[in-house]
Amino acid sequence: MRLTLALLAALAAPAAAADPAAEARAALDRLETAIERLDAARGARDRVAALTETVRGFEDGLAAMREGLRAVSIREAQLERRLDAREAEIAQLLGVLQSIGTAPAPVLFLHPGGPLGTARAGMLLAEVTPALEAEAARLRRDLEEAATLRRLQEAAAERLTDGLAGVQAARAALSEAIADRTDLPRRFTADPAGTQILIAATETLDGFASGLAEIGEAAPDAAPLPGVSDRKGELALPVAGTVLRRAGEPDAAGIERPGIVVATRPRALVTTPAAATLRYRGPLLDYGQVSILEPESGLLIVLAGLGTVYGDTGEVLPEGSPVGLMGGTAPRAIPSRDGEGGGGERSETLYIEVRQDNTPVDPLDWFRAD
């Protein structure tokens, strides 16, 4: 009786609402689109713009793929645990039913409670039978779902490998296209010697940014930038990620900085949030590789912590143009069940500082961050 009640209680448990298989298939479609876009980008007139979109497409597709496969792995583990937990209980119940089914007919009518007990036992079995059938159907569905998830993982592994190779090819092609680009206007000519003197003479980012105005020779025919003051608070973050630390919040060492820290994935593409002049790019102090953008006079956007930087100092970069890649190495292809290698893995950090008239301001006053 206790076994029957436990079985009926289990039947009332809610089923999983999410559909990891559908999410993984959608991620496969997104990755397939990115692979097709890479072929089209090779012959595009504006290869930099086309390849930038391609790299972003690969990043989104790979992130969705890893997250989908991670959900598939977790769901498969849940099914295995559920089936393992029910195995002994179902085997015991099936054994009881099997012994009843093989017993001689006269024995079935013998009950310690007499005819009334026999009738009650028969009514109980009649009530339990539909529940048993429903449970058997659920087990069949679980087994079929587990098999489907396993096949999906096997099919996705090859496509994910193709995607990883594709995004590497797209990044290499993007670097080459940027190096070959000669059509960007210039607002000033860089002064490498003056820049090196400024770096050697300053010990802080504040001092370096303040001295940038004195570096370089302005181009006589440079057109003014449209500016971004009317888009304050609406600029997209330069990289896909999550705000890890806000302005003024101390880090693990207790150091407070006026910028924000965005956690992002390894090798993520970093782009200009608006049309801007590239004032500086290269290593700086302890900030790693740095790009400093000037979207309008008196306003600087500092991007620090990149692994690779693009562009030539003095160029005017259109909105959405690549300025570099984050560092780190790509995560493992197939995520494990404990979440390692999943789409949420963001091991790199980009430091973003906004300076207005040589004074740091809160970047979140300018950027739209979820």
Side-chain angles (χ1 to χ4, degrees):
M1 184 67 175
R2 250 183 248 139
L3 183 61
T4 302
L5 292 176
L7 178 59
L8 292 174
L11 290 173
D19 188 356
E23 295 175 1
R25 290 192 186 96
L28 272 170
D29 292 340
R30 294 172 66 179
L31 197 55
E32 186 70 33
T33 300
I35 292 173
E36 294 173 356
R37 188 183 294 172
L38 176 58
D39 293 333
R42 299 183 195 279
R45 183 174 181 180
D46 189 345
R47 294 184 67 238
V48 172
L51 288 167
T52 299
E53 289 298 317
T54 300
V55 171
R56 277 283 168 84
F58 270 113
E59 289 180 349
D60 293 343
L62 288 169
M65 172 69 74
R66 291 194 183 95
E67 196 62 35
L69 289 179
R70 177 175 173 272
V72 163
S73 297
I74 292 174
R75 176 61 178 160
E76 186 181 14
Q78 290 173 343
L79 290 174
E80 289 179 0
R81 286 196 297 269
R82 180 194 297 177
L83 293 172
D84 290 344
R86 304 299 306 282
E87 183 177 5
E89 180 180 304
I90 293 170
Q92 182 182 356
L93 182 55
L94 290 177
V96 173
L97 293 178
Q98 186 176 9
S99 65
I100 293 176
T102 58
V107 176
L108 295 177
F109 289 100
L110 298 178
H111 192 279
L116 182 59
T118 301
R120 287 174 175 170
M123 294 173 60
L124 180 60
L125 285 174
E127 292 178 357
V128 169
T129 299
L132 290 176
E133 292 176 349
E135 175 65 7
R138 174 188 287 185
L139 288 173
R140 281 195 297 270
R141 288 194 300 270
D142 287 349
L143 290 171
E144 291 171 358
E145 182 182 357
T148 299
L149 296 178
R150 200 169 298 113
R151 288 194 299 269
L152 183 60
Q153 285 180 308
E154 293 171 356
E158 182 179 354
R159 180 53 67 194
L160 187 55
T161 300
D162 293 342
L164 290 171
V167 72
Q168 291 175 358
R171 287 169 179 153
L174 178 61
S175 299
E176 181 182 347
I178 291 173
D180 294 341
R181 183 172 55 186
T182 58
D183 59 341
L184 291 182
R186 286 184 172 272
R187 297 197 69 236
F188 67 90
T189 302
D191 181 3
T195 301
Q196 290 303 316
I197 292 174
L198 178 61
I199 291 176
T202 57
E203 298 180 353
T204 64
L205 177 60
D206 183 85
F208 180 79
S210 298
L212 271 183
E214 309 300 325
I215 303 297
E217 181 178 350
D221 56 347
L225 291 172
V228 292
S229 295
D230 58 337
R231 299 170 58 191
K232 187 174 183 179
E234 296 298 323
L235 296 179
L237 285 173
V239 68
T242 302
V243 176
L244 184 65
R245 194 159 48 248
R246 293 174 175 267
E249 291 183 354
D251 59 17
I255 299 175
E256 298 180 6
R257 299 185 190 273
I260 63 173
V261 175
V262 177
T264 186
R265 296 183 179 89
R267 308 298 292 163
L269 183 65
V270 183
T271 58
T272 55
T277 305
L278 182 60
R279 295 305 309 258
Y280 174 79
R281 65 111 172 164
L284 181 63
L285 304 174
D286 60 346
Y287 288 90
Q289 295 288 338
V290 174
S291 286
I292 299 181
L293 305 173
E294 185 182 41
E296 65 182 28
S297 180
L299 183 68
L300 295 179
I301 298 176
V302 181
L303 308 175
L306 294 89
T308 304
V309 287
Y310 296 140
D312 290 330
T313 303
E315 288 181 335
V316 178
L317 305 177
E319 181 174 344
S321 294
V323 295
L325 297 171
M326 298 302 298
T329 57
R332 56 184 293 178
I334 302 297
S336 62
R337 290 180 178 180
D338 60 5
E340 183 185 353
E345 185 180 62
R346 295 187 172 97
S347 59
E348 299 299 308
T349 55
L350 179 69
Y351 176 72
I352 304 175
E353 184 171 310
V354 177
R355 304 179 62 84
Q356 195 163 15
D357 298 327
N358 285 332
T359 302
V361 297
D362 189 347
L364 293 182
D365 290 342
W366 285 89
F367 291 101
R368 180 183 67 255
D370 297 332

